[in-house]
Amino acid sequence: MSRTRIDQFLPSVAAGDGVTNSSLFIRSLLIELGYSSDIYSFAVPAQLTDHVRPASGYSPGTGDLLLYHHSMGHDHGSWLLNQPVRKRLVYHNITPAEFFPANGALRHYSILGRKQLIDWRAAFECALALSPLNRAELAEAAYPDIITLPLLIDSNRLNGDHSRPHFMGEAEGAGYYLSVGRLVENKQQYILIEAFYHLLQHEDRGRHLLLVGGMASEDYARGLHLHIRNLGLGGRVHLTGKCTDAELRWLYRHASQYWCASAHEGFCMPLVEANHADLPVLSLARSNIPDTLGESGLLLEQDDPVTFAMAANLIDSAPELRAKLVAAGQRNLLRYERDNLKQQLHHWLQAAHT
């Protein structure tokens, strides 16, 4: 492959979004490998105008390559398929439609995205799966040439500045449990809220629960607020909204534990971010989460808030267990080392595919 241009296309981008962060990470690796590279999208918020170009200005040259990130259905298929350029797929996974309310936009685009994944197979010379779960779905869709490479975690970004979030109050002094993810049905934050309630009944250490992430489902978010109120947890459970990268780093570094109850994750980057911050992880063993965590993290098979609360109390009460989880997290990080990922990306780009 001649080193001309390797660009990327995402139908939409958002600050702090996992797919967007992945494309930024890949672009940095491409530039280090000597390629010219830009990211293109049809929806570019003001925060990203320095990093992402409007798709309307994309004009490929002979021999160029376009990496297309697929994570949900969209209405720009004709534009993508009609671009006169070689294409490779980067697959981030699609949350199954059954997690979303009937007749809602998320359900519609989930169904559409899986249809597009199959219908567009012939448009791509090969595919890159960002996790073993994603690879299995690509194989089920009959993609013939797949590699698995977790191009999601930029270790340089993990080591950035810290900034205390403006919303921190009582939770800072008392300590807190942390979970990061959009407020959407498949994340199952209601399990974490109930687990926190049961934990307080056993032993109230004065801690708080911070649920950090933007709202993707208004009905679900309203349900979480109601759940918090019904359990009498106002002032102890906080739906903070989105945070900057610097604020997230601060939160990881000062939390007591990282919690995850998600029912479906194509990868789940916050788990690795928690490893990096020496934060013990407690999670349900669902979808790709066991693979992402590797040997690190305390994984639960049951979607039971009481069991979750008991496990959290065990981590709080057993310093030796906490130390083992933190050490395992540091070993897990070696799988996502930047130079290793860059070399694997280089080999994939150099490989001939037909």
Side-chain angles (χ1 to χ4, degrees):
M1 180 187 299
S2 63
R3 294 204 175 187
T4 52
R5 294 197 61 84
I6 301 179
D7 295 312
Q8 300 177 78
F9 170 65
L10 295 75
S12 62
V13 294
D17 169 67
V19 179
T20 303
N21 284 342
S22 174
S23 71
L24 293 169
F25 178 38
I26 291 173
R27 181 176 181 269
S28 72
L29 297 180
L30 290 171
I31 290 173
E32 289 179 15
L33 289 169
Y35 295 98
S36 298
S37 182
D38 283 310
I39 302 169
Y40 291 87
S41 179
F42 280 100
V44 184
Q47 307 99 301
L48 292 172
T49 53
D50 291 338
H51 304 283
V52 182
R53 296 174 179 268
S56 58
Y58 178 61
S59 180
T62 302
D64 288 357
L65 176 65
L66 182 65
L67 304 181
Y68 162 61
H69 293 256
H70 193 63
S71 62
M72 204 65 160
H74 59 88
D75 300 320
H76 303 291
S78 295
W79 179 92
L80 171 65
L81 299 178
N82 288 331
Q83 294 304 312
V85 65
R86 294 165 47 229
K87 305 175 185 71
R88 295 188 181 184
L89 179 72
V90 180
Y91 183 48
H92 291 258
N93 201 266
I94 300 168
T95 303
E98 58 262 29
F99 285 106
F100 303 123
N103 302 318
L106 290 175
R107 179 178 284 252
H108 166 74
Y109 284 110
S110 173
I111 294 170
L112 178 62
R114 291 193 177 273
K115 183 178 185 301
Q116 291 170 335
L117 188 67
I118 295 171
D119 291 348
W120 297 350
R121 182 177 53 230
F124 304 102
E125 59 184 29
C126 57
L128 188 155
L130 295 169
S131 73
L133 175 66
N134 297 351
R135 184 189 183 104
E137 293 190 0
L138 287 174
E140 185 178 355
Y143 278 76
D145 195 349
I146 312 165
I147 72 160
T148 305
L149 189 56
L151 294 173
L152 292 151
I153 305 294
D154 185 351
S155 57
N156 290 344
R157 187 175 66 85
L158 295 178
N159 290 320
D161 294 335
H162 297 192
S163 177
R164 179 183 179 278
H166 68 278
F167 54 76
M168 291 303 297
E170 294 180 36
E172 181 176 353
Y176 56 91
Y177 305 99
L178 176 66
S179 186
V180 178
R182 296 175 301 154
L183 302 185
V184 66
E185 285 79 0
N186 64 289
K187 302 294 185 181
Q188 297 192 144
Q189 287 97 338
Y190 65 89
I191 293 178
L192 303 183
I193 295 168
E194 290 185 32
F196 185 64
Y197 169 82
H198 290 295
L199 187 60
L200 295 184
Q201 309 316 301
H202 174 74
E203 184 174 2
D204 189 346
R205 299 171 184 259
R207 288 181 177 163
H208 294 241
L209 174 61
L210 302 186
L211 303 177
V212 178
M215 181 180 63
S217 172
E218 292 185 11
D219 289 343
Y220 179 70
R222 281 195 295 268
L224 291 180
H225 282 288
L226 181 61
H227 200 39
I228 292 168
R229 189 174 69 212
N230 289 343
L231 290 175
L233 295 175
R236 298 294 293 273
V237 177
H238 311 272
L239 307 182
T240 70
K242 283 189 174 183
C243 291
T244 65
D245 285 346
E247 289 172 333
L248 279 174
R249 295 184 200 107
W250 191 98
L251 289 170
Y252 281 118
R253 285 296 177 189
H254 292 83
S256 298
Q257 298 177 25
Y258 185 84
W259 287 5
C260 176
S262 183
H264 183 85
E265 293 290 341
F267 183 80
C268 200
M269 284 185 289
L271 301 176
V272 180
E273 293 169 343
N275 287 163
H276 184 268
D278 290 335
L279 190 56
V281 174
L282 176 58
S283 177
L284 299 184
R286 297 291 177 269
S287 58
N288 200 71
I289 287 173
D291 182 82
T292 299
L293 277 173
E295 63 172 316
S296 68
L298 190 57
L299 292 170
L300 305 177
E301 294 293 339
Q302 296 178 303
D303 290 2
D304 176 27
V306 175
T307 302
F308 203 104
M310 292 172 63
N313 183 66
L314 178 62
I315 295 173
D316 280 338
S317 306
E320 68 281 2
L321 173 60
R322 181 186 185 90
K324 287 181 179 179
L325 291 173
V326 169
Q330 287 301 306
R331 292 192 296 272
N332 190 46
L333 289 173
L334 298 176
R335 298 196 294 152
Y336 307 110
E337 199 274 330
R338 181 185 179 94
D339 286 342
N340 182 41
L341 294 177
K342 181 170 68 176
Q343 289 308 311
Q344 292 182 70
L345 174 64
H346 172 68
H347 292 322
W348 182 65
L349 293 171
Q350 291 294 314
H353 296 271
T354 57

